Amino acid sequence: MGVQCCLLCACYTLNLNVIALFVPRFSLISSSVRFLVPKPKRYCCVWLLRCQLASVLSNYCKLYDQFVESKQKHVEDLSKEDLDQEAKKAAQDALEKLEIPDLRLGRAILENCKSCAEQGNVREEMRKEENFFGNMFRMIKHEDEIVSGMACQALANAAFDVEGRPMLLEMNAIPEFVKCLTYKDVDTQLSAARAIGNFAMDSYGRQKLFESKAMAPLVAQLEAKDENGKDAIEPRRAAILAIGKCASDRSSAVELCDIGALSKLLSLMDTHWKQLGQAAEDAVERLLQKSQSAKLWLRGEVDFEDRTSDGWFDMGVGRPYTSLTDLQKETINTNREVLLADASQDNRLKQLVEEVKGECASLGLTQIILDKRDIASTDIKKKCVVKIAEILSQRLGGSILYDKYMDFGYSTEIQRCKQLRKSNVVWVGDLKKAGCRHRAFLFKYLCDLVLPYLCRLERTKIERGAHVGHAWNVVKFFGDVDQEGQQKTYTVDLMHNVGSLYENGTDFNPADEWAAKYQRKDVYHFISLG
């Protein structure tokens, strides 16, 4: 009560609204204003409450700062090696007698701050009050978890506003919100996750989240528990939504997949909690839009719109998703083969990219041609596809007859490349001989650089037999349609009749028999490659 009296003396203008800060049973008065007071007067009452609340909060912060300063001084005194026993005992006694400012008061103040900050127009007024949000931020660092949690809930409301987020980022608030994810109180967990999700709404906020290493704690929140150890559904859902927003950047999406977000979200998709299942499904889609490696692993395909880039890898089928960093650390295994395309590190791949770009340019490929959809531009694009196929085939051991594919023998080359890098990760630039899977992987990467949005990679869905891991590419050319206007697509032959484009067919045009043959589909699905 001594602390309360001091504050009462300091805030001599207190009226009944602010008495709510001191008397628990009136703690809901601020949130009740909108129900008890007519609208024209309501804003005035809230404004008065905001002004007085700012003053009370400021005074409480000063008292808490004095407490922290005194505590720190006593701790430093106790850590001095040259301190005699009598002085050490005095410091210890002073530390034990030191009283933290009234916790009930602090909680009541911040409860009212939270209630006020729930209204957008009041938040606007609160931002005008000098250091109002700054004092709330000081309280989020309070050593009492409840007081800190209440401050988190109040500040989280400010993150909803476009004007509020830069203010919080300037305070370096993200690490504090991340800390609050671990609190026992479910409302605090929920508020922290929502705040992080709001920061992720723009690229600058996502960059700050990335720099603050907020992704791992956010993923851990997918398994959030309440204070009784039971599953906390709403904080989990808020974390899922925040992950979906963070996945708007490729770097964040890749990191989230690498640290287990994808695997956990996939398990939540099958949960009996519908509110989690749908949100998890949406978040997975967002992750796959930005992480082509994860999409290839999960779906066995990378679509026309999915542009690959340096760092793209294919870890094969039948294994849990693993980050590239962890894959590179694995002990070399003859049965383990991961493909990596990264021209920023792979000099041979970089040379191949430059060769492909040069050849396509000599065929007349320009940005203007890429944007056109007429017959002439389509013809140039088709010639580029054929040229890329020829360059790739020549680089990777040439062609072979369809019925002799099993005699092609490239496994020794794969092992050589693995030993070269001391890893199961094969740099595609190192390869001098390769099969359909490797060629399809590299072809997609090259096409995305020179013919963006025109190439698709598909992999067979089977997990047993001669065709496991078999992959192929499908290309399309905008404006290349059948008589009814349906888009034509073609399967690219990279292995046998290199450069041939086999039409996949439309509702009006039959498919080329070689399309299914090259893809090992239909009846060819059961025929051995030998």
Side-chain angles (χ1 to χ4, degrees), residues 332-389:
I332 296 180
N333 184 339
T334 55
N335 298 319
R336 184 71 154 147
E337 178 188 327
V338 179
L339 302 179
L340 172 64
D342 191 345
S344 67
Q345 301 182 68
D346 189 338
N347 288 329
R348 283 177 54 84
L349 178 59
K350 184 178 180 180
Q351 292 171 4
L352 177 60
V353 169
E354 294 302 320
E355 180 183 354
V356 167
K357 287 181 176 179
E359 291 291 340
C360 289
S362 67
L363 292 172
L365 184 67
T366 63
Q367 185 58 51
I368 295 176
I369 294 297
L370 284 172
D371 293 337
K372 287 185 176 181
R373 301 189 175 197
D374 56 13
I375 295 175
S377 63
T378 297
D379 184 56
I380 292 175
K381 294 170 192 173
K382 285 184 177 181
K383 289 179 180 179
C384 289
V385 167
V386 173
K387 176 57 68 175
I388 295 172

Side-chain angles (χ1 to χ4, degrees), residues 247-250 253-254 285-292 306:
S248 299
D249 285 337
R250 184 180 183 277
V254 170
E285 289 301 322
R286 287 175 173 268
L287 286 173
L288 298 186
Q289 286 175 9
K290 296 297 181 178
S291 177
Q292 285 70 46
D306 299 317

Side-chain angles (χ1 to χ4, degrees), residues 453-473:
Y453 310 116
L454 299 184
C455 180
R456 171 184 172 93
L457 170 65
E458 297 183 38
R459 184 168 63 201
T460 182
K461 301 299 190 291
I462 61 173
E463 297 183 2
R464 296 178 61 187
H467 305 304
V468 173
H470 175 65
W472 63 92
N473 301 102

